[in-house]
CSV table of all heavy atoms in Angstrom, one decimal:
chain,number,residue,atom,x,y,z
A,817,ALA,N,3.6,15.5,-3.5
A,817,ALA,CA,3.9,15.8,-2.1
A,817,ALA,C,5.2,16.7,-2.0
A,817,ALA,O,6.1,16.5,-2.8
A,817,ALA,CB,4.2,14.5,-1.4
A,818,PRO,N,5.1,17.7,-1.1
A,818,PRO,CA,6.2,18.6,-1.0
A,818,PRO,C,7.5,17.9,-0.4
A,818,PRO,O,7.4,17.0,0.4
A,818,PRO,CB,5.7,19.6,0.0
A,818,PRO,CG,4.7,18.9,0.8
A,818,PRO,CD,4.1,17.9,-0.1
A,819,LYS,N,8.6,18.3,-1.0
A,819,LYS,CA,9.9,17.8,-0.4
A,819,LYS,C,10.2,18.6,0.8
A,819,LYS,O,9.9,19.8,0.9
A,819,LYS,CB,11.0,17.9,-1.5
A,819,LYS,CG,10.8,17.0,-2.7
A,819,LYS,CD,11.1,15.6,-2.3
A,819,LYS,CE,11.0,14.7,-3.6
A,819,LYS,NZ,11.4,13.3,-3.3
A,820,VAL,N,10.9,18.0,1.7
A,820,VAL,CA,11.3,18.7,2.9
A,820,VAL,C,12.8,18.6,3.1
A,820,VAL,O,13.5,17.7,2.5
A,820,VAL,CB,10.6,18.1,4.2
A,820,VAL,CG1,9.2,18.3,4.1
A,820,VAL,CG2,11.0,16.7,4.4
A,821,PRO,N,13.5,19.5,3.8
A,821,PRO,CA,14.9,19.4,4.0
A,821,PRO,C,15.3,18.1,4.7
A,821,PRO,O,14.5,17.5,5.5
A,821,PRO,CB,15.2,20.6,4.9
A,821,PRO,CG,14.1,21.5,4.7
A,821,PRO,CD,12.9,20.7,4.4
A,822,ARG,N,16.4,17.5,4.4
A,822,ARG,CA,16.9,16.3,5.0
A,822,ARG,C,17.0,16.4,6.5
A,822,ARG,O,16.7,15.5,7.2
A,822,ARG,CB,18.2,15.8,4.4
A,822,ARG,CG,18.7,14.5,4.9
A,822,ARG,CD,20.0,14.1,4.2
A,822,ARG,NE,19.8,14.1,2.7
A,822,ARG,CZ,19.4,13.0,2.1
A,822,ARG,NH1,19.2,11.9,2.8
A,822,ARG,NH2,19.3,13.0,0.8
A,823,SER,N,17.5,17.5,7.0
A,823,SER,CA,17.7,17.7,8.4
A,823,SER,C,16.5,18.4,8.9
A,823,SER,O,16.1,19.5,8.5
A,823,SER,CB,18.9,18.5,8.7
A,823,SER,OG,18.8,19.8,8.1
A,824,ARG,N,15.7,17.7,9.8
A,824,ARG,CA,14.5,18.3,10.4
A,824,ARG,C,14.5,17.9,11.9
A,824,ARG,O,14.5,16.8,12.2
A,824,ARG,CB,13.3,17.8,9.7
A,824,ARG,CG,12.0,18.4,10.2
A,824,ARG,CD,10.8,17.8,9.4
A,824,ARG,NE,9.6,18.3,10.0
A,824,ARG,CZ,8.4,17.8,9.6
A,824,ARG,NH1,8.3,16.9,8.7
A,824,ARG,NH2,7.3,18.3,10.1
A,825,SER,N,14.4,18.9,12.7
A,825,SER,CA,14.5,18.7,14.2
A,825,SER,C,13.1,18.2,14.7
A,825,SER,O,12.1,18.4,14.0
A,825,SER,CB,14.9,20.0,14.9
A,825,SER,OG,14.0,21.0,14.6
A,826,LEU,N,13.1,17.6,15.8
A,826,LEU,CA,11.9,17.2,16.5
A,826,LEU,C,11.0,18.4,16.7
A,826,LEU,O,11.5,19.5,17.1
A,826,LEU,CB,12.2,16.5,17.8
A,826,LEU,CG,12.9,15.2,17.8
A,826,LEU,CD1,13.2,14.7,19.2
A,826,LEU,CD2,12.1,14.2,17.0
A,827,ASP,N,9.7,18.3,16.5
A,827,ASP,CA,8.9,19.4,16.8
A,827,ASP,C,8.4,19.4,18.2
A,827,ASP,O,7.7,20.3,18.6
A,827,ASP,CB,7.7,19.4,15.8
A,827,ASP,CG,6.9,18.1,15.9
A,827,ASP,OD1,7.2,17.3,16.7
A,827,ASP,OD2,5.9,18.0,15.1
A,828,ILE,N,8.7,18.4,19.0
A,828,ILE,CA,8.4,18.4,20.4
A,828,ILE,C,9.5,17.6,21.1
A,828,ILE,O,9.9,16.5,20.6
A,828,ILE,CB,7.0,17.8,20.6
A,828,ILE,CG1,6.6,17.9,22.1
A,828,ILE,CG2,6.9,16.4,20.2
A,828,ILE,CD1,5.2,17.6,22.4
A,829,ALA,N,9.9,18.0,22.2
A,829,ALA,CA,11.0,17.3,22.9
A,829,ALA,C,10.4,16.1,23.6
A,829,ALA,O,9.3,16.1,24.2
A,829,ALA,CB,11.6,18.2,23.9
A,830,ALA,N,11.2,15.0,23.7
A,830,ALA,CA,10.7,13.8,24.4
A,830,ALA,C,10.8,14.2,25.9
A,830,ALA,O,11.6,15.0,26.4
A,830,ALA,CB,11.7,12.7,24.1
A,831,PRO,N,9.8,13.6,26.7
A,831,PRO,CA,9.8,13.9,28.1
A,831,PRO,C,11.1,13.5,28.8
A,831,PRO,O,11.7,12.5,28.5
A,831,PRO,CB,8.6,13.0,28.6
A,831,PRO,CG,7.8,12.7,27.4
A,831,PRO,CD,8.8,12.7,26.3
A,832,THR,N,11.5,14.3,29.7
A,832,THR,CA,12.7,14.0,30.5
A,832,THR,C,12.3,13.4,31.8
A,832,THR,O,11.5,13.9,32.6
A,832,THR,CB,13.5,15.3,30.9
A,832,THR,OG1,13.8,16.0,29.6
A,832,THR,CG2,14.7,15.0,31.7
A,833,PHE,N,12.8,12.2,32.1
A,833,PHE,CA,12.4,11.4,33.3
A,833,PHE,C,13.5,11.6,34.3
A,833,PHE,O,14.7,11.4,34.1
A,833,PHE,CB,12.3,9.9,32.9
A,833,PHE,CG,11.2,9.7,31.9
A,833,PHE,CD1,11.5,9.5,30.6
A,833,PHE,CD2,9.9,9.8,32.3
A,833,PHE,CE1,10.5,9.3,29.6
A,833,PHE,CE2,8.9,9.6,31.3
A,833,PHE,CZ,9.2,9.3,30.0
A,834,VAL,N,13.1,11.9,35.5
A,834,VAL,CA,14.0,12.1,36.6
A,834,VAL,C,13.9,11.0,37.6
A,834,VAL,O,12.8,10.7,38.1
A,834,VAL,CB,13.7,13.5,37.4
A,834,VAL,CG1,14.7,13.7,38.5
A,834,VAL,CG2,13.8,14.6,36.4
A,835,PRO,N,15.0,10.2,37.9
A,835,PRO,CA,14.9,9.1,38.8
A,835,PRO,C,14.4,9.5,40.1
A,835,PRO,O,14.7,10.5,40.7
A,835,PRO,CB,16.4,8.6,38.9
A,835,PRO,CG,17.0,9.1,37.6
A,835,PRO,CD,16.3,10.4,37.3
A,836,GLY,N,13.5,8.6,40.6
A,836,GLY,CA,12.9,8.9,42.0
A,836,GLY,C,11.7,9.8,42.0
A,836,GLY,O,11.2,10.0,43.1
A,837,GLN,N,11.3,10.3,40.9
A,837,GLN,CA,10.2,11.2,40.9
A,837,GLN,C,9.0,10.6,40.1
A,837,GLN,O,8.6,11.0,39.0
A,837,GLN,CB,10.6,12.6,40.2
A,837,GLN,CG,11.6,13.3,41.1
A,837,GLN,CD,11.9,14.7,40.5
A,837,GLN,OE1,11.4,15.1,39.5
A,837,GLN,NE2,12.8,15.4,41.2
A,838,SER,N,8.5,9.5,40.6
A,838,SER,CA,7.5,8.7,39.9
A,838,SER,C,6.2,9.5,39.6
A,838,SER,O,5.6,9.4,38.6
A,838,SER,CB,7.2,7.4,40.6
A,838,SER,OG,6.7,7.7,41.9
A,839,GLN,N,5.8,10.3,40.6
A,839,GLN,CA,4.6,11.1,40.4
A,839,GLN,C,4.8,12.1,39.3
A,839,GLN,O,3.9,12.3,38.4
A,839,GLN,CB,4.2,11.8,41.7
A,839,GLN,CG,3.7,10.8,42.8
A,839,GLN,CD,3.2,11.5,44.0
A,839,GLN,OE1,3.4,12.7,44.2
A,839,GLN,NE2,2.6,10.7,44.9
A,840,ALA,N,5.9,12.8,39.3
A,840,ALA,CA,6.2,13.7,38.2
A,840,ALA,C,6.2,13.1,36.8
A,840,ALA,O,5.7,13.6,35.9
A,840,ALA,CB,7.5,14.5,38.5
A,841,VAL,N,6.9,11.9,36.8
A,841,VAL,CA,6.9,11.1,35.6
A,841,VAL,C,5.5,10.8,35.1
A,841,VAL,O,5.2,11.0,33.9
A,841,VAL,CB,7.8,9.9,35.7
A,841,VAL,CG1,7.6,9.0,34.5
A,841,VAL,CG2,9.2,10.2,35.9
Side-chain angles (χ1 to χ4, degrees):
K819 294 287 185 178
V820 298
R822 184 178 300 273
S823 59
R824 182 182 177 188
S825 60
L826 294 177
D827 56 4
I828 184 171
T832 301
F833 299 102
V834 181
Q837 296 184 358
S838 57
Q839 291 184 350
V841 168

